[in-house]
mmCIF file of all heavy atoms in Angstrom:
data_model
loop_
_atom_site.group_PDB
_atom_site.id
_atom_site.type_symbol
_atom_site.label_atom_id
_atom_site.label_comp_id
_atom_site.label_asym_id
_atom_site.label_seq_id
_atom_site.Cartn_x
_atom_site.Cartn_y
_atom_site.Cartn_z
ATOM 1 N N GLU A 79 11.857 -23.056 -42.561
ATOM 2 C CA GLU A 79 11.635 -24.065 -43.604
ATOM 3 C C GLU A 79 11.316 -25.411 -42.998
ATOM 4 O O GLU A 79 11.901 -25.746 -41.958
ATOM 5 C CB GLU A 79 12.912 -24.116 -44.423
ATOM 6 C CG GLU A 79 13.149 -22.862 -45.307
ATOM 7 C CD GLU A 79 12.086 -22.759 -46.373
ATOM 8 O OE1 GLU A 79 11.844 -23.769 -47.148
ATOM 9 O OE2 GLU A 79 11.435 -21.698 -46.471
ATOM 10 N N PRO A 80 10.450 -26.079 -43.671
ATOM 11 C CA PRO A 80 10.150 -27.477 -43.106
ATOM 12 C C PRO A 80 11.214 -28.482 -43.455
ATOM 13 O O PRO A 80 12.101 -28.181 -44.279
ATOM 14 C CB PRO A 80 8.755 -27.784 -43.830
ATOM 15 C CG PRO A 80 8.775 -26.960 -45.040
ATOM 16 C CD PRO A 80 9.649 -25.785 -44.819
ATOM 17 N N ILE A 81 11.141 -29.585 -42.832
ATOM 18 C CA ILE A 81 11.999 -30.730 -43.077
ATOM 19 C C ILE A 81 11.126 -31.886 -43.679
ATOM 20 O O ILE A 81 9.921 -31.819 -43.560
ATOM 21 C CB ILE A 81 12.711 -31.264 -41.906
ATOM 22 C CG1 ILE A 81 11.740 -31.576 -40.790
ATOM 23 C CG2 ILE A 81 13.817 -30.306 -41.446
ATOM 24 C CD1 ILE A 81 12.413 -32.238 -39.512
ATOM 25 N N PRO A 82 11.734 -32.819 -44.515
ATOM 26 C CA PRO A 82 10.935 -33.770 -45.149
ATOM 27 C C PRO A 82 10.276 -34.687 -44.096
ATOM 28 O O PRO A 82 10.824 -34.983 -42.957
ATOM 29 C CB PRO A 82 12.007 -34.605 -45.925
ATOM 30 C CG PRO A 82 13.193 -33.738 -45.985
ATOM 31 C CD PRO A 82 13.174 -32.826 -44.818
ATOM 32 N N TRP A 83 9.170 -35.228 -44.407
ATOM 33 C CA TRP A 83 8.350 -36.170 -43.579
ATOM 34 C C TRP A 83 9.220 -37.428 -43.238
ATOM 35 O O TRP A 83 9.133 -37.919 -42.182
ATOM 36 C CB TRP A 83 7.068 -36.544 -44.279
ATOM 37 C CG TRP A 83 6.155 -37.391 -43.443
ATOM 38 C CD1 TRP A 83 6.126 -38.783 -43.538
ATOM 39 C CD2 TRP A 83 5.220 -36.996 -42.487
ATOM 40 N NE1 TRP A 83 5.190 -39.249 -42.627
ATOM 41 C CE2 TRP A 83 4.612 -38.227 -41.942
ATOM 42 C CE3 TRP A 83 4.822 -35.791 -42.018
ATOM 43 C CZ2 TRP A 83 3.603 -38.171 -40.983
ATOM 44 C CZ3 TRP A 83 3.835 -35.793 -41.039
ATOM 45 C CH2 TRP A 83 3.248 -36.906 -40.527
ATOM 46 N N ILE A 105 4.964 -31.605 -35.880
ATOM 47 C CA ILE A 105 4.369 -30.296 -35.678
ATOM 48 C C ILE A 105 4.376 -29.663 -37.047
ATOM 49 O O ILE A 105 5.462 -29.357 -37.586
ATOM 50 C CB ILE A 105 5.115 -29.446 -34.630
ATOM 51 C CG1 ILE A 105 5.115 -30.030 -33.245
ATOM 52 C CG2 ILE A 105 4.493 -27.992 -34.660
ATOM 53 C CD1 ILE A 105 3.748 -30.094 -32.565
ATOM 54 N N CYS A 106 3.251 -29.419 -37.591
ATOM 55 C CA CYS A 106 3.069 -28.782 -38.972
ATOM 56 C C CYS A 106 2.423 -27.445 -38.811
ATOM 57 O O CYS A 106 1.350 -27.402 -38.202
ATOM 58 C CB CYS A 106 2.207 -29.658 -39.895
ATOM 59 S SG CYS A 106 3.035 -31.210 -40.237
ATOM 60 N N VAL A 263 -2.901 -34.368 -38.292
ATOM 61 C CA VAL A 263 -1.900 -34.050 -39.320
ATOM 62 C C VAL A 263 -2.245 -34.556 -40.709
ATOM 63 O O VAL A 263 -1.857 -33.891 -41.773
ATOM 64 C CB VAL A 263 -0.447 -34.556 -38.868
ATOM 65 C CG1 VAL A 263 -0.413 -36.076 -38.907
ATOM 66 C CG2 VAL A 263 0.685 -33.941 -39.643
ATOM 67 N N LEU A 267 -2.156 -32.009 -43.784
ATOM 68 C CA LEU A 267 -1.334 -32.151 -44.914
ATOM 69 C C LEU A 267 -2.078 -32.306 -46.223
ATOM 70 O O LEU A 267 -1.718 -31.907 -47.269
ATOM 71 C CB LEU A 267 -0.455 -33.448 -44.694
ATOM 72 C CG LEU A 267 0.639 -33.319 -43.652
ATOM 73 C CD1 LEU A 267 1.283 -34.633 -43.410
ATOM 74 C CD2 LEU A 267 1.622 -32.271 -44.040
ATOM 75 N N HIS A 272 -0.387 -27.451 -48.948
ATOM 76 C CA HIS A 272 0.505 -28.110 -47.973
ATOM 77 C C HIS A 272 1.405 -29.163 -48.626
ATOM 78 O O HIS A 272 2.192 -29.863 -47.978
ATOM 79 C CB HIS A 272 -0.248 -28.665 -46.879
ATOM 80 C CG HIS A 272 -0.777 -27.621 -45.954
ATOM 81 N ND1 HIS A 272 -1.578 -27.833 -44.889
ATOM 82 C CD2 HIS A 272 -0.599 -26.200 -46.037
ATOM 83 C CE1 HIS A 272 -1.915 -26.713 -44.276
ATOM 84 N NE2 HIS A 272 -1.271 -25.648 -44.910
ATOM 85 N N SER A 273 1.166 -29.383 -49.983
ATOM 86 C CA SER A 273 1.955 -30.329 -50.666
ATOM 87 C C SER A 273 3.336 -29.692 -51.016
ATOM 88 O O SER A 273 3.386 -28.527 -51.258
ATOM 89 C CB SER A 273 1.223 -30.788 -51.979
ATOM 90 O OG SER A 273 2.074 -31.412 -52.858
ATOM 91 N N LYS A 274 4.325 -30.588 -50.940
ATOM 92 C CA LYS A 274 5.640 -30.092 -51.133
ATOM 93 C C LYS A 274 5.812 -29.362 -52.510
ATOM 94 O O LYS A 274 6.511 -28.342 -52.665
ATOM 95 C CB LYS A 274 6.646 -31.310 -51.112
ATOM 96 C CG LYS A 274 8.123 -30.934 -50.922
ATOM 97 C CD LYS A 274 8.796 -32.257 -50.739
ATOM 98 C CE LYS A 274 10.334 -32.018 -50.492
ATOM 99 N NZ LYS A 274 11.003 -33.229 -50.233
ATOM 100 N N ASP A 275 5.143 -29.951 -53.532
ATOM 101 C CA ASP A 275 5.225 -29.368 -54.891
ATOM 102 C C ASP A 275 4.083 -28.516 -55.197
ATOM 103 O O ASP A 275 3.880 -28.138 -56.459
ATOM 104 C CB ASP A 275 5.467 -30.529 -55.905
ATOM 105 C CG ASP A 275 4.301 -31.491 -55.910
ATOM 106 O OD1 ASP A 275 3.275 -31.307 -55.139
ATOM 107 O OD2 ASP A 275 4.292 -32.409 -56.700
ATOM 108 N N LEU A 283 -1.996 -37.223 -48.348
ATOM 109 C CA LEU A 283 -0.894 -36.703 -49.181
ATOM 110 C C LEU A 283 0.231 -37.792 -49.187
ATOM 111 O O LEU A 283 0.575 -38.368 -48.183
ATOM 112 C CB LEU A 283 -0.328 -35.421 -48.500
ATOM 113 C CG LEU A 283 0.651 -34.643 -49.373
ATOM 114 C CD1 LEU A 283 -0.070 -34.008 -50.620
ATOM 115 C CD2 LEU A 283 1.218 -33.440 -48.477
ATOM 116 N N VAL A 285 3.729 -39.641 -48.980
ATOM 117 C CA VAL A 285 4.801 -39.450 -48.077
ATOM 118 C C VAL A 285 5.835 -38.494 -48.720
ATOM 119 O O VAL A 285 6.424 -37.570 -48.058
ATOM 120 C CB VAL A 285 5.394 -40.680 -47.580
ATOM 121 C CG1 VAL A 285 6.682 -40.452 -46.859
ATOM 122 C CG2 VAL A 285 4.464 -41.366 -46.661
ATOM 123 N N GLU A 286 6.142 -38.727 -49.979
ATOM 124 C CA GLU A 286 7.265 -38.027 -50.612
ATOM 125 C C GLU A 286 6.943 -36.510 -50.753
ATOM 126 O O GLU A 286 7.787 -35.687 -50.958
ATOM 127 C CB GLU A 286 7.653 -38.571 -51.998
ATOM 128 C CG GLU A 286 6.542 -38.596 -52.971
ATOM 129 C CD GLU A 286 5.736 -39.861 -52.880
ATOM 130 O OE1 GLU A 286 5.655 -40.480 -51.811
ATOM 131 O OE2 GLU A 286 4.930 -40.118 -53.891
ATOM 132 N N LEU A 287 5.603 -36.198 -50.737
ATOM 133 C CA LEU A 287 5.197 -34.794 -50.893
ATOM 134 C C LEU A 287 4.959 -34.122 -49.487
ATOM 135 O O LEU A 287 4.569 -33.022 -49.433
ATOM 136 C CB LEU A 287 3.964 -34.693 -51.693
ATOM 137 C CG LEU A 287 4.065 -35.131 -53.074
ATOM 138 C CD1 LEU A 287 2.805 -35.010 -53.882
ATOM 139 C CD2 LEU A 287 5.215 -34.319 -53.884
ATOM 140 N N ARG A 288 5.142 -34.869 -48.439
ATOM 141 C CA ARG A 288 4.880 -34.346 -47.062
ATOM 142 C C ARG A 288 6.082 -33.620 -46.526
ATOM 143 O O ARG A 288 7.263 -34.003 -46.729
ATOM 144 C CB ARG A 288 4.444 -35.455 -46.162
ATOM 145 C CG ARG A 288 3.140 -36.076 -46.498
ATOM 146 C CD ARG A 288 2.883 -37.223 -45.557
ATOM 147 N NE ARG A 288 1.541 -37.704 -45.729
ATOM 148 C CZ ARG A 288 0.779 -38.324 -44.796
ATOM 149 N NH1 ARG A 288 1.355 -38.469 -43.594
ATOM 150 N NH2 ARG A 288 -0.378 -38.772 -45.117
ATOM 151 N N GLU A 289 5.780 -32.539 -45.715
ATOM 152 C CA GLU A 289 6.841 -31.928 -44.976
ATOM 153 C C GLU A 289 6.243 -31.674 -43.542
ATOM 154 O O GLU A 289 5.144 -31.621 -43.296
ATOM 155 C CB GLU A 289 7.203 -30.576 -45.631
ATOM 156 C CG GLU A 289 7.888 -30.678 -46.906
ATOM 157 C CD GLU A 289 8.203 -29.444 -47.547
ATOM 158 O OE1 GLU A 289 7.302 -28.587 -47.685
ATOM 159 O OE2 GLU A 289 9.379 -29.239 -47.977
ATOM 160 N N VAL A 290 7.295 -31.430 -42.670
ATOM 161 C CA VAL A 290 6.896 -31.220 -41.261
ATOM 162 C C VAL A 290 7.824 -30.062 -40.734
ATOM 163 O O VAL A 290 8.943 -30.010 -41.055
ATOM 164 C CB VAL A 290 7.050 -32.497 -40.385
ATOM 165 C CG1 VAL A 290 8.480 -33.050 -40.538
ATOM 166 C CG2 VAL A 290 6.606 -32.237 -39.042
ATOM 167 N N SER A 291 7.120 -29.118 -39.938
ATOM 168 C CA SER A 291 7.836 -27.909 -39.469
ATOM 169 C C SER A 291 8.861 -28.326 -38.370
ATOM 170 O O SER A 291 9.958 -27.792 -38.341
ATOM 171 C CB SER A 291 6.849 -26.833 -38.908
ATOM 172 O OG SER A 291 5.982 -26.456 -39.910
#
Side-chain angles (χ1 to χ4, degrees):
Chain A
E79 287 294 307
I81 54 174
W83 182 265
I105 298 291
C106 296
V263 70
L267 291 172
H272 288 176
S273 163
K274 195 174 184 178
D275 60 359
L283 194 65
V285 168
E286 62 275 17
L287 294 179
R288 294 179 173 206
E289 289 178 313
V290 58
S291 302

